[in-house]
């Protein structure tokens, strides 16, 4: 894996894993996908994390790494020294409402973590919401 690819993966992974963990629940909306992703990230369930990501980003991860997406992400997080710091304190995360595009194929979910607002972007793939890093 090249240094540039590793940096891109670590930065992108850090951005989404910093979402943290929220309350349990399940549903079909983009907010539910963010929640499910956050739970997987906090549990370090990299297979589930990869399932929740935009398939195009997964391809990028797998082509840049030395194994499948889950193995590559785990290694990237461990080597990046980010490990535990990438997973936020669940008590500090609020998942807000989603804004869904007119065509229904993309959405943005507002989150607030420790007083800092951010937007999580998602796309719909085969009727399922996937986190996209826009890389």
């Amino acid at each position: 894996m090249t240094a540039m690819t590793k940096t891109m993966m670590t930065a992108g992974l850090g951005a989404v894993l910093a979402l943290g963990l929220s309350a349990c629940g399940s549903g079909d909306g983009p907010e539910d996908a963010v929640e499910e992703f956050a739970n997987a990230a906090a549990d370090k369930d990299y297979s589930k994390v990869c399932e929740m990501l935009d398939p195009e980003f997964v391809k990028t991860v797998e082509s840049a790494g030395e194994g499948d997406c889950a193995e590559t992400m785990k290694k990237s997080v461990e080597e990046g020294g980010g490990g535990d710091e990438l997973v936020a304190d669940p008590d500090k995360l609020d998942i807000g409402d989603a804004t869904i595009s007119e065509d229904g194929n993309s959405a943005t979910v507002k989150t607030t973590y420790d007083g800092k607002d951010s937007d999580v972007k998602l796309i719909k793939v085969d009727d399922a919401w996937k986190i996209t890093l826009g890389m």
Side-chain angles (χ1 to χ4, degrees):
M1 176 179 341
T2 68
M4 173 70 105
T5 303
K6 183 177 174 185
T7 300
M8 181 184 79
M9 280 183 18
T10 301
L13 186 60
V16 283
L17 291 181
L19 291 170
L21 173 66
S22 185
C24 293
S26 119
D28 294 333
E31 301 95 337
D32 301 310
V34 170
E35 182 176 352
E36 188 176 346
F37 179 87
N39 282 314
D43 291 342
K44 298 182 182 176
D45 182 349
Y46 298 112
S47 292
K48 184 65 175 177
V49 166
C50 290
E51 287 176 26
M52 299 298 302
L53 289 173
D54 171 6
E56 292 302 314
F57 183 72
V58 171
K59 286 180 192 174
T60 301
V61 169
E62 290 179 343
S63 68
E66 299 166 8
D68 71 9
C69 177
E71 293 168 4
T72 302
M73 286 198 154
K74 180 180 179 187
K75 186 174 180 181
S76 179
V77 169
E78 289 171 353
E79 288 178 359
D84 294 333
E85 301 89 51
L86 292 177
V87 179
D89 179 349
D91 296 329
K92 296 180 182 178
L93 177 71
D94 288 318
I95 297 174
D97 292 330
T99 302
I100 300 175
S101 66
E102 229 175 270
D103 67 6
N105 291 323
S106 63
T108 301
V109 175
K110 301 279 186 189
T111 62
T112 303
Y113 175 71
D114 200 19
K116 296 178 185 173
D117 296 331
S118 64
D119 294 334
V120 179
K121 307 244 185 253
L122 300 97
I123 60 169
K124 206 166 220 186
V125 178
D126 298 328
D127 293 323
W129 289 105
K130 303 290 183 175
I131 307 292
T132 185
L133 300 176
M135 294 183 172

